[in-house]
Amino acid sequence: MCVVDSSNRLVGVVSAGDILRWLHSQSGVVDLDRPITQVVNRQHVSAGIDDPPHTLQERFRQSIDMVPMLDQQGILRAIAVSRNRPIRIGQALIADDQPVFIIAEIGNNHNGCLDRAFQLIDAAVAAGANCAKFQMRDMRSLYRNRGNPDDPAEDLGSQYVLDVLAQFSLARDHLFQAFDYAASRGILALCTPWDLTSVAELQSYGMPAFKIASADMTNHDLLETVIETAKPLIVSTGMSSEEEIKRTAALLRRYGAQSILLHCNATYPTPFKDVNLNYLNRLRMIADGPVGYSGHERGYAVAVAAVTLGARVIEKHITLDRTLQGNDHKVSLLPDEFGDMVRAIRNVEEALGTDDCRSMTQGERINRSSLAKSLVATRDIPAGTDIRDDMITAKSPGQGLQPMYRDQLIGTRLRRTVRAGGFFFESDLSAEAPEARPFHFSRPWGLPVRYHDARALFERSNPDLLEFHLSYKDMEIDPRTFLDEPLPVRLLVHAPELFAGDHVLDICSLDPGYRARSLEELQRVIDVTRGLRRFFPGTPRPAIVVNVGGFSDHSFLKPTERERRYALLADGLDGIDAEGVELLPQTMPPFPWHYGGQRFHNLFVSAEDLVRFGSNLGLRYCLDVSHSRLACTHFGWSFEQFLDLASPHVAHLHIADARGVDGEGLQIGDGTIDFVMLGRKLKECCPNAGFIPEVWQGHTNGGEGFWYALAKLEPVL
């Protein structure tokens, strides 16, 4: 911050570092009710308002990115900003960590018709462009013959251009109406001025930035006039040699202009052999700032590829009809094609990720646990044994210690007994491992179990409930094989998502046959649950957690499509015999992992849907904390507000950590959930709802992941 007195004389500057230094200098209770002048840094760097550009460059070399500029009386007249700061155009920021700025170049493709200009703006909005761009010419001042299209002395090419412009340009007032219409549609309007008169007209209108055409890349008089407006510039470099590009880049730097250079080949259409997209790397060094691409080749593959080479601005022409008169139409994209390009760019942006250290996605972890190999014991190995090479082999699945750790495992003394075929785990290499013990919470708690490990996990601690996570294979098992006597805990069941034949449960499917089978499978789960009830005499009405479906393969459903799925769900539930059980739909993440792949989820993702649907049908829910945190991250919702809305309708909880938009089921502390806030909200809104730690692979090695999670959750739940 720059601090000035009542006469706008600069007193000093204040940065975060200045405030921290002041705080450290205080003793005892810090009084924040102090004048800012007690904190201000008076030993600041400044420059004179009339100082030459090289003076500012010297200031910025001192690791400073903002320099107050003063007149002779010390009055603050301007603030010079380092070029490495993001460039703002309207509401968009142009920077490496920001979305690509996509320009729909309308130019003169309206062919002089204001209604067609409005239609092109609508098409740009529908396609997802950030900007609709036009061109403005004052023909009398621009051309030496005052724009006469009938001048017989003009060359053939110039005569053709003059004739087209005379027919198809929009008048000043019509252009301004187009800009206003773009604003009403929520899209930024920009314009290319071809002459000084047009610069003045656009500046008076309030144009937030200027695009300079390739034809004016060497027109330094025009560039200097635009620079004086203090607006950002986007400059195309077509029709220019590298020496000319360097001279223009130097001009822009000398005046401290916020500028973006666009690589461009100004032929219509550009042959692919002439695009030379790799020049973007060289252009970035010349520009010493952000660069982009303005394309005139057919299609949009090159524009998408430019994003992978660092283009932060993409400009492509848009038209309603490629057969219309005018050079630009034949190299333009139709509205649907432009929309396809925008989606492809956004997909590529997302796919580019970062150059940070590689880490596995949750989907890869899921697949590795099924497909990879683990170190397993070749024989029974008692606790206290020093591991030898002949005691170890590598076999699938990959749920244990990866084979690369074999050498580290050899010579290790086991703390536990491992049976033949049993997995080794990372904890076998560490000095300590999480252990089971009695846990104490203010609400009922339990464990996710399968038939084969339910009794063993129950006997290691003091759970109040067991939640059986059934597979479709478990549906064929007689539970008496594993449950030989009743257990004094509450019963819950988690219905399978996957059934035989790769059938993912979806009782909202638009396919009547698929939906009918899903309802049949859910009815079987209910029947199995009713049979399990005899082993849990303290559970008169067991709950079944179910992912009801409503997923899609390629994109999220539109609101009207979601409503149709909810209607199908209500109809399906109405036909289910749920006597003696309670169905608890589970809150879902935006991008669920379905056995090796990812889809889009649409139902029970938002808190508003939970409240509305639950109120209509009298349903309660299983709140999967990890799923809902991912949804809030993706859609930009407040997780705290989500909990305020959803928690009163919650009967049961799945608790795990989460990261990003699809990192679900993480160990407590490995994600971004604020568990102190979560515990407070759950105590306020659903104090009686029970929970399980649904940490992925928490059951392995005798449930060590569960014991670790429960120990972390005990202080807050």
Side-chain angles (χ1 to χ4, degrees):
M1 295 186 295
C2 290
V3 180
V4 297
D5 63 16
S6 58
S7 300
N8 283 338
R9 287 184 174 83
L10 185 68
V11 175
V13 300
V14 178
S15 68
D18 295 322
I19 294 173
L20 287 172
R21 282 187 287 274
W22 178 79
L23 287 170
H24 283 302
S25 71
Q26 306 302 298
S27 59
V29 177
V30 177
D31 177 15
L32 297 179
D33 190 17
R34 299 284 190 91
I36 191 68
T37 51
Q38 295 186 15
V39 183
V40 71
N41 174 12
R42 299 175 188 272
Q43 305 301 314
H44 55 81
V45 172
S46 62
I49 191 67
D50 297 321
D51 283 352
H54 67 79
T55 300
L56 282 177
Q57 293 173 6
E58 290 297 327
R59 300 291 191 270
F60 289 134
R61 291 192 183 101
Q62 302 173 35
S63 299
I64 293 170
D65 64 1
M66 186 182 76
V67 177
M69 302 187 71
L70 314 177
D71 65 12
Q72 292 182 347
Q73 287 73 43
I75 293 175
L76 182 67
R77 295 298 185 186
I79 298 174
V81 179
S82 169
R83 286 176 56 85
N84 62 8
R85 294 169 69 93
I87 296 174
R88 180 178 293 278
I89 299 179
Q91 297 301 310
L93 290 176
I94 314 300
D96 287 343
D97 60 349
Q98 298 295 320
V100 170
F101 186 74
I102 301 175
I103 299 172
E105 166 68 351
I106 293 172
N108 287 326
N109 279 357
H110 45 67
N111 283 38
C113 174
L114 183 57
D115 286 342
R116 184 178 285 125
F118 290 166
Q119 293 174 44
L120 285 163
I121 290 169
D122 290 338
V125 171
N130 300 102
C131 165
K133 195 186 78 63
F134 294 84
Q135 298 179 13
M136 187 177 192
R137 294 171 174 84
D138 179 70
M139 300 297 289
R140 288 178 171 274
S141 63
L142 177 60
Y143 280 92
R144 61 176 187 165
N145 68 356
R146 300 174 64 81
N148 179 11
D150 300 318
D151 186 348
E154 283 295 334
D155 288 343
L156 295 177
S158 298
Q159 199 173 63
Y160 169 74
V161 170
L162 282 167
D163 186 46
V164 169
L165 292 176
Q167 295 180 68
F168 297 146
S169 293
L170 280 177
R172 169 190 179 276
D173 290 345
H174 282 178
L175 264 178
F176 289 177
Q177 287 181 49
F179 302 160
D180 292 344
Y181 181 74
S184 73
R185 293 300 321 278
I187 191 172
L188 182 71
L190 291 182
C191 191
T192 294
W194 284 73
D195 50 79
L196 299 179
T197 301
S198 296
V199 172
E201 295 277 8
L202 294 172
Q203 176 70 351
S204 68
Y205 175 83
M207 192 59 49
F210 290 92
K211 166 71 199 302
I212 303 301
S214 292
D216 280 316
M217 213 280 301
T218 59
N219 185 351
H220 288 191
D221 287 342
L222 179 71
L223 285 169
E224 289 177 7
T225 301
V226 174
I227 290 169
E228 288 175 0
T229 69
K231 304 291 178 62
L233 286 79
I234 303 172
V235 184
S236 282
T237 60
M239 307 183 194
S240 302
S241 68
E242 181 164 302
E243 179 57 31
E244 291 168 337
I245 295 172
K246 287 180 176 178
R247 289 182 62 182
T248 294
L251 173 78
L252 295 169
R253 280 197 300 274
R254 185 164 68 250
Y255 285 101
Q258 296 185 76
S259 60
I260 304 149
L261 297 186
L262 303 189
H263 176 47
C264 175
N265 183 294
T267 51
Y268 301 77
T270 303
F272 289 118
K273 68 179 181 60
D274 294 339
V275 170
N276 193 20
L277 204 54
N278 278 326
Y279 189 73
L280 273 168
N281 298 315
R282 189 173 180 88
L283 183 63
R284 188 183 299 106
M285 291 187 290
I286 294 171
D288 190 25
V291 295
Y293 178 69
S294 177
H296 304 108
E297 71 289 334
R298 293 183 174 93
Y300 58 81
V302 172
V304 176
V307 174
T308 70
L309 293 175
R312 308 314 306 158
V313 174
I314 293 294
E315 179 183 62
K316 285 286 286 183
H317 289 259
I318 188 170
T319 184
L320 301 176
D321 183 352
R322 271 197 285 262
T323 67
L324 292 174
Q325 183 182 351
N327 251 357
D328 291 347
H329 287 289
K330 61 178 175 289
V331 300
S332 298
L333 298 177
L334 295 170
D336 287 348
E337 295 170 333
F338 205 101
D340 290 342
M341 181 190 73
V342 172
R343 284 186 289 275
I345 287 173
R346 299 306 179 213
N347 289 340
V348 166
E349 280 184 300
E350 191 173 3
L352 283 172
T354 70
D355 58 1
D356 294 340
C357 292
R358 192 189 192 283
S359 60
M360 285 186 291
T361 66
Q362 188 66 2
E364 287 181 308
R365 291 188 182 94
I366 292 169
N367 284 345
R368 185 162 91 163
S369 71
S370 301
L371 301 173
K373 295 180 176 63
S374 303
L375 295 176
V376 300
T378 59
R379 67 192 71 175
D380 290 347
I381 308 175
T385 302
D386 292 337
I387 301 297
R388 300 191 309 271
D389 182 67
D390 62 346
M391 297 176 178
I392 310 170
T393 189
K395 290 186 180 294
S396 288
Q399 296 171 9
L401 190 64
Q402 293 293 292
M404 67 181 289
Y405 295 102
R406 183 183 189 117
D407 290 345
Q408 288 177 246
L409 190 59
I410 294 171
T412 299
R413 180 162 295 176
L414 274 183
R415 293 191 304 269
R416 63 189 181 92
T417 296
V418 180
R419 300 299 179 190
F423 293 112
F424 294 98
F425 298 97
E426 286 188 28
S427 57
D428 292 321
L429 299 176
S430 62
E432 296 181 356
E435 294 183 355
R437 61 171 173 81
F439 294 94
H440 303 282
F441 294 94
S442 62
R443 64 180 66 244
W445 71 276
L447 296 165
V449 298
R450 300 281 300 281
Y451 284 149
H452 67 87
D453 62 7
R455 182 167 291 280
L457 288 172
F458 163 73
E459 290 175 349
R460 298 193 66 188
S461 189
N462 61 326
D464 303 300
L465 57 93
L466 295 178
E467 182 179 315
F468 284 81
H469 286 218
L470 300 180
S471 70
Y472 69 87
K473 291 285 189 181
D474 292 340
M475 303 277 288
E476 311 299 332
I477 294 175
D478 184 347
R480 290 176 295 184
T481 307
F482 300 98
L483 301 173
D484 52 355
E485 60 183 33
L487 291 172
V489 293
R490 184 153 59 90
L491 166 68
L492 291 93
V493 168
H494 194 310
E497 277 189 281
L498 181 69
F499 292 86
D502 290 341
H503 183 93
V504 179
L505 192 75
D506 187 1
I507 60 179
C508 318
S509 174
L510 300 180
D511 181 334
Y514 197 101
R515 180 165 166 260
R517 178 173 172 197
S518 293
L519 290 167
E520 290 171 4
E521 298 291 7
L522 180 57
Q523 188 64 63
R524 288 179 60 218
V525 175
I526 293 171
D527 295 340
V528 168
T529 302
R530 286 195 283 237
L532 273 173
R533 190 169 54 185
R534 66 179 179 272
F535 298 102
F536 299 88
T539 310
R541 191 180 180 219
I544 301 175
V545 178
V546 56
N547 296 341
V548 299
F551 50 82
S552 47
D553 288 328
H554 303 295
S555 62
F556 292 111
L557 298 179
K558 296 178 180 178
T560 54
E561 295 171 327
R562 287 206 316 272
E563 289 301 316
R564 186 180 178 189
R565 302 298 177 93
Y566 275 123
L568 288 171
L569 172 60
D571 182 67
L573 292 178
D574 190 52
I576 287 285
D577 174 15
E579 181 68 28
V581 303
E582 180 181 11
L583 295 179
L584 300 179
Q586 182 174 213
T587 63
M588 297 305 294
F591 307 106
W593 298 102
H594 281 167
Y595 301 94
Q598 197 176 75
R599 288 175 169 167
F600 297 81
H601 227 295
N602 302 282
L603 306 191
F604 302 128
V605 176
S606 75
E608 289 78 6
D609 280 7
L610 296 175
V611 173
R612 180 171 56 86
F613 198 81
S615 299
N616 290 342
L617 291 184
L619 284 174
R620 298 193 299 169
Y621 299 99
C622 170
L623 171 62
D624 188 301
V625 169
S626 180
H627 289 176
S628 295
R629 182 66 180 89
L630 298 176
C632 290
T633 298
H634 176 71
F635 291 108
W637 303 329
S638 161
F639 186 42
E640 194 165 353
Q641 292 177 7
F642 184 102
L643 294 170
D644 284 334
L645 283 173
S647 295
H649 301 267
V650 168
H652 182 57
L653 299 156
H654 287 173
I655 297 183
D657 216 333
R659 180 178 294 278
V661 299
D662 58 11
E664 65 179 82
L666 304 186
Q667 182 57 266
I668 308 302
D670 288 350
T672 57
I673 291 179
D674 179 350
F675 284 96
V676 174
M677 180 277 291
L678 175 69
R680 185 179 71 251
K681 285 293 178 185
L682 296 180
K683 287 175 182 176
E684 291 173 3
C685 301
C686 54
N688 299 318
F691 80 94
I692 62 165
E694 199 178 33
V695 175
W696 185 74
Q697 294 289 20
H699 64 282
T700 59
N701 199 13
E704 69 176 14
F706 297 149
W707 314 133
Y708 181 89
L710 290 165
K712 298 286 274 187
L713 292 171
E714 204 171 24
V716 295
L717 294 181

